[in-house]
């Protein structure tokens, strides 16, 4: 039994897995999608595409939080950043994401107070230290990160902070999966399901994909062997005509998830329709502050009309996030768009498909 991280990255075992996958013998074209930016990065880093037969395609999905956050959210953040007396606090990647008119980094260059923090608790601390300022935390991510932000909001409430706010752009996965399954051109044959997110949600959120849409689902860890084993399990399901939810990451993910984390989400947030870059508006796929905690909502601070968001004309990030196109299809890739000078969100985060392609080249389709 493999217990340690190094064992999940052993090259000899990876080669053995690769042979086992080939021996399953599927000859038709198979599209497997990884629904997690960390998987996108790991697949590129470990060269997993090169280990697979050419008929097995790995598609990147909408699992990179920075990538799926639409330009409107960035535009709202930059408007807030330019307001007098406002401090923006955010995870590092968000600073470089280009909005319609500016990135936070550019806004900071013009004098705005934009600070990178490593947890939402840092933002609460900054609010305590700066009682004469309004401190806004940029809340992006999935069920994985939202509970930590919910806990910070509760903490701010218990401390009676009136200068802490969250701009909530959280996404939730189940309805986005349904939207993907219903996309006519995608032809998904299997899902590599996100391990971190499943730690919180549990395994039941994938049941609809397997039972209704007949798409095999396997929850996966992030090392090379985790992903290869997941691919093997998916191909076995396909070859045997099964569509089930399997937990390939049972050393971390429990079927019931983390009920405490889900409860704290329910305490602070309510579901709302949400716009995903590349997919558009999906009903009940986002989280915003509920009535009890609405005083912490940073949208309350915005009192100007924000122009309709615009995207760079050549950026096909949205189609990459739905597996329809690859970074190679973008005319700006590596030219007008690089990690040092990103034109689109998928080139910013290490979890973005374009950034992974740029860094690891041949290992991304
Ligand atoms: S390379 Fe840049 S411009 Fe092209 S799709 Fe990716 S993020 Fe968008």
């Amino acid at each position: 039994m493999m217990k340690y991280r190094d064992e999940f990255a052993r090259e000899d075992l990876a080669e053995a897995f690769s042979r086992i996958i080939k021996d399953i013998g599927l000859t038709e074209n198979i599209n497997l999608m990884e629904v997690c930016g960390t998987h996108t990065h790991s697949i590129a880093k470990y060269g997993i595409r090169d280990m697979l037969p050419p008929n097995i395609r790995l598609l990147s999905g909408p699992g990179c939080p920075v990538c799926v956050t639409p330009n409107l959210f960035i535009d709202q953040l930059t408007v807030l950043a330019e307001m007098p007396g406002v401090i923006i606090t955010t995870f590092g990647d968000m600073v470089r994401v280009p909005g319609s008119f500016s990135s936070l980094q550019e806004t900071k260059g013009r004098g705005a107070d934009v600070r990178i923090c490593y947890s939402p608790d840092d933002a609460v601390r900054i609010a305590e230290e700066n009682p004469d300022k309004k401190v806004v935390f940029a809340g992006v991510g999935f069920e994985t990160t939202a509970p930590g932000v919910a806990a910070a909001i509760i903490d701010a409430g218990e401390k009676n902070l009136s200068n802490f706010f969250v701009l909530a752009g959280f996404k939730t996965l189940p309805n986005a999966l349904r939207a993907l399954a219903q996309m006519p051109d995608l032809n998904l044959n299997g899902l590599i399901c996100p391990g971190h997110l499943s730690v919180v949600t549990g395994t039941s959120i994938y049941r609809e994909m397997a039972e209704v849409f007949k798409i095999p689902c396997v929850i996966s860890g992030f090392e090379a062997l985790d992903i290869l084993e997941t691919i093997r399990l998916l191909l076995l399901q396909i070859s045997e005509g099964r569509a089930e939810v399997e937990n390939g990451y049972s050393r971390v993910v429990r079927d019931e998830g983390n009920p405490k984390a889900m409860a704290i989400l329910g305490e602070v947030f309510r579901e709302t329709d949400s716009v995903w870059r590349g997919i558009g508006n999906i009903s009940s796929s986002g989280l915003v502050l509920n009535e009890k905690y609405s005083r912490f909502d940073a949208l309350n601070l915005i009192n100007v009309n924000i122009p309709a968001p615009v995207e760079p004309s050549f950026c096909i990030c949205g189609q990459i996030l739905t597996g329809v196109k690859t970074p190679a299809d973008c005319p700006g890739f590596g030219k007008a768009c690089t990690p040092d000078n990103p034109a689109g969100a998928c080139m910013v985060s290490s979890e973005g498909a374009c950034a992974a392609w740029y860094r690891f080249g041949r290992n991304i389709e």
Side-chain angles (χ1 to χ4, degrees), residues 1-5 7-8 251:
M1 184 177 169
M2 293 175 293
K3 296 179 191 156
Y4 305 108
R5 189 177 178 280
E7 292 177 277
F8 283 84
R251 67 186 188 277

Side-chain angles (χ1 to χ4, degrees), residues 64-66 68-69 73 91 94 138-146 169-172 197 276 285-287:
C64 155
V66 168
V68 295
T69 299
F73 185 86
F91 296 134
M94 287 300 292
V140 297
F142 294 89
E143 289 93 334
T144 327
T145 48
F170 300 106
K171 310 286 187 214
T172 53
L197 184 143
W276 294 55
S285 70
L287 296 173

